[in-house]
Amino acid sequence: MSVTFESGLLRAYFVAGSQDVPGQDLRKVLATMLDAGITAFQFRDKGASTLNEEQRVALGSDLRVQCHEANVPFIVDDDVDLAILLNADGIHVGQSDQKIQQVIKKVDGRRMFVGLSCNTAEQVAAANQIGGIDYIGSGPIYPTVSKDDADPAMGVDGLAALVQQANVPIVAIGGVTVKSLPAIAATGAAGVAVITLLTQSTDPYADTQAMRQAFAK
């Protein structure tokens, strides 16, 4: 299965690696989130992860199978070689990761969509000049504990300005809560990418449906 990109995939975008669910099996966590109705999954195994490369590939392969069985896109964070190895549907890169032009060139012809993190007007302006970017991730919208190197929170006004500027859909990241979904949706963002909102949720189904409904077109 290869998933064709469309903005609706960004509505309830779950991001996680082994470091985000200590003491748990990420396969079981993902199964719960797929049942709950997430619209995309990004495998972001880094930071405090203790997995070696062989373990990361094995885990990623299992997660990809789960996503494909659920007809949900499987996206790899940062590592284009891993994305190719795992036959991912998408690759997401940050400003400090691999150069976006190199990533686009490397995945060309593989039917893999590309996301780029852009947190400033200057970064969005640069992205607008590059062909092959399918969506932009912008944030943090609110203060977040999921990334040690996160930029200062931009708020919904900052997000709205980037949404107006960007040539492609934007998914909002950072500090997202269920209560903040209406304000984020009002900016014109296509959806939210979340870690903590779901990994620490007491009702993943309700919270996932809240995301889907907030950004339903």
Side-chain angles (χ1 to χ4, degrees), residues 1 41-45 53-68 74-77 79-91 110 112:
M1 184 202 74
F41 172 67
Q42 181 189 126
F43 182 43
R44 179 182 177 274
D45 199 76
E53 192 60 29
E54 184 178 348
Q55 292 169 325
R56 186 169 291 113
V57 170
L59 175 59
S61 180
D62 289 344
L63 299 175
R64 177 188 61 81
V65 170
Q66 289 179 256
C67 285
H68 283 197
F74 174 78
I75 302 157
V76 169
D77 175 74
D79 191 334
V80 67
D81 292 327
L82 180 62
I84 292 170
L85 179 64
L86 294 178
N87 189 30
D89 300 297
I91 176 79
R110 295 180 181 273
M112 192 181 300

Side-chain angles (χ1 to χ4, degrees), residues 112-129:
M112 192 181 300
F113 57 81
V114 178
L116 176 68
S117 295
C118 293
N119 306 325
T120 67
E122 292 76 18
Q123 291 170 357
V124 171
N128 283 343
Q129 303 302 312

Side-chain angles (χ1 to χ4, degrees), residues 8-19:
L9 299 177
L10 303 176
R11 288 182 294 159
Y13 186 148
F14 178 47
V15 181
S18 60
Q19 72 282 350

Side-chain angles (χ1 to χ4, degrees), residues 52 138 166 171 177:
N52 61 36
S138 294
V171 61
T177 63

Side-chain angles (χ1 to χ4, degrees), residues 6-12 37 39 181-182 184-186 188-192 208-217:
E6 53 93 9
S7 62
L9 299 177
L10 303 176
R11 288 182 294 159
T39 56
L181 293 174
I184 295 173
V192 288
T208 301
Q209 292 306 307
M211 287 187 279
R212 291 177 64 115
Q213 292 163 13
F215 298 95
K217 302 296 184 186

Side-chain angles (χ1 to χ4, degrees), residues 150-162:
D151 292 335
M154 66 174 63
V156 289
D157 290 341
L159 175 63
L162 297 185

Side-chain angles (χ1 to χ4, degrees), residues 11-48:
R11 288 182 294 159
Y13 186 148
F14 178 47
V15 181
S18 60
Q19 72 282 350
D20 298 307
V21 289
Q24 301 180 68
D25 185 343
L26 184 55
R27 299 168 185 84
K28 293 182 179 179
V29 174
L30 178 60
T32 297
M33 303 313 170
L34 290 168
D35 287 343
I38 59 169
T39 56
F41 172 67
Q42 181 189 126
F43 182 43
R44 179 182 177 274
D45 199 76
K46 60 200 313 184

